[in-house]
Amino acid sequence: MNKSYITSIGLSLFLAIATSACKKTIEESNPNVDQYEEAPLYTDSEEPEEEPTEEYTTIDYTFPETGKSITDFIPKGTPFEIQHEAKGDLNNDGLKDYAIVLTDKTHLYDERPMLIVLQQTDGTYRLDKMSKVVMPSKYFKASNYDNEEITIEKHQLVIHLYNEYASGNTKYKFSYQDKELYLSQLDDYSRGSGIHIFLSVDFFSEKIKLETGDANTDPETEKTEYFDMPVYQFTLEKDCPQYILNDIYKIIFNPNNNQL
């Protein structure tokens, strides 16, 4: 790898974009490639969300284990409401499951739990997974993402984070294996001032693909490199994908550091 080239252009973009991290709240987290579309922009008609003046904190609660609808999984007596939801067959049983992200409608709490609720044969739902670390915290100031969406596609949960200013996108995919929801794919694209980096990680095949280039210089600077991925299994419930992304960049830019 040409370290001087990668270090000079790669680290600047990496630090500007890949440092977005989800804030750990109540629990400590344990330490094919799609074409990216343009990030959707906010319209003038959308009023900016007011930020609270009080100190952000966490809230103690437990989630119901079963329900007849996804709203039944909002803990009673809490200020949570559903911010995002996605519907589809996640565990490949032919039934329509849900992934939902909760947010605090009073703007006092910054954590955004994600719940995975699986449909049962009688039409009810069962809480199967819950993560307080997979989504970036609502008021985490280091976050560079401007928009986000969650979908369920081909039995995979897809979390797509958009970065408008540096024309960057980050996409995480989670898949069920042996009743556990694992991080299966990570794609990160960043572009600015003619420089672009595309990173794709397949956690199941343990391969990393890195594409880099600089439109301001000779086209020969365009290159594609492949790396072996250290063997790790990351789960939706315990692991923060933003931290994982940061560590993967560290492995690429510093081959002597192979710890995630």
Side-chain angles (χ1 to χ4, degrees), residues 5 9 192-196 212-222:
Y5 171 72
I9 67 169
S193 301
I195 299 169
H196 70 268
T212 58
D214 185 353
N216 300 314
T217 61
D218 193 295
E220 291 185 0
T221 59
E222 302 280 338

Side-chain angles (χ1 to χ4, degrees), residues 32 34 89-90 152-157 175:
N32 113 83
D34 298 328
D89 182 9
L90 258 179
I152 295 176
E153 306 168 8
K154 299 178 181 179
H155 310 300
Q156 292 182 312
L157 169 66
S175 303

Side-chain angles (χ1 to χ4, degrees), residues 128-145:
D128 189 61
K129 306 294 179 189
M130 188 279 297
S131 174
K132 298 173 184 176
V133 296
V134 71
M135 297 297 294
S137 297
K138 190 172 184 179
Y139 300 115
F140 188 53
K141 296 302 183 182
S143 177
N144 292 300
Y145 297 113

Side-chain angles (χ1 to χ4, degrees), residues 88-153:
D89 182 9
L90 258 179
N91 58 345
N92 200 19
D93 63 356
L95 301 175
K96 297 301 182 183
D97 311 309
Y98 276 95
I100 61 176
V101 176
L102 302 180
T103 188
D104 169 32
K105 57 188 175 184
T106 66
H107 307 302
L108 294 180
Y109 304 102
D110 61 352
E111 61 190 18
R112 296 194 298 157
M114 172 177 278
L115 309 182
I116 304 298
V117 293
L118 302 181
Q119 189 177 39
Q120 307 301 293
T121 54
D122 62 358
T124 62
Y125 294 91
R126 175 180 60 85
L127 177 63
D128 189 61
K129 306 294 179 189
M130 188 279 297
S131 174
K132 298 173 184 176
V133 296
V134 71
M135 297 297 294
S137 297
K138 190 172 184 179
Y139 300 115
F140 188 53
K141 296 302 183 182
S143 177
N144 292 300
Y145 297 113
D146 307 300
N147 206 349
E148 61 192 14
E149 64 178 349
I150 63 171
T151 59
I152 295 176
E153 306 168 8

Side-chain angles (χ1 to χ4, degrees), residues 228-241:
D228 291 328
M229 171 75 187
V231 180
Y232 288 99
Q233 288 184 318
F234 300 103
T235 66
L236 178 120
E237 291 187 292
K238 296 181 178 180
D239 298 297
C240 174

Side-chain angles (χ1 to χ4, degrees), residues 6 12 19 26 39 49 58 79 101 104 113 123 126 161 235 243 258:
I6 293 294
S12 59
T19 50
I26 297 176
E49 188 176 88
T58 60
V101 176
D104 169 32
R126 175 180 60 85
L161 307 176
T235 66
Y243 290 153
N258 62 355

Side-chain angles (χ1 to χ4, degrees), residues 1-4 6 210 223 225 227 251-255:
M1 182 189 335
N2 188 328
K3 289 186 178 179
S4 61
I6 293 294
L210 179 68
K223 62 168 59 178
E225 300 175 274
F227 306 87
I251 290 176
I252 291 175
F253 295 132
N254 181 11

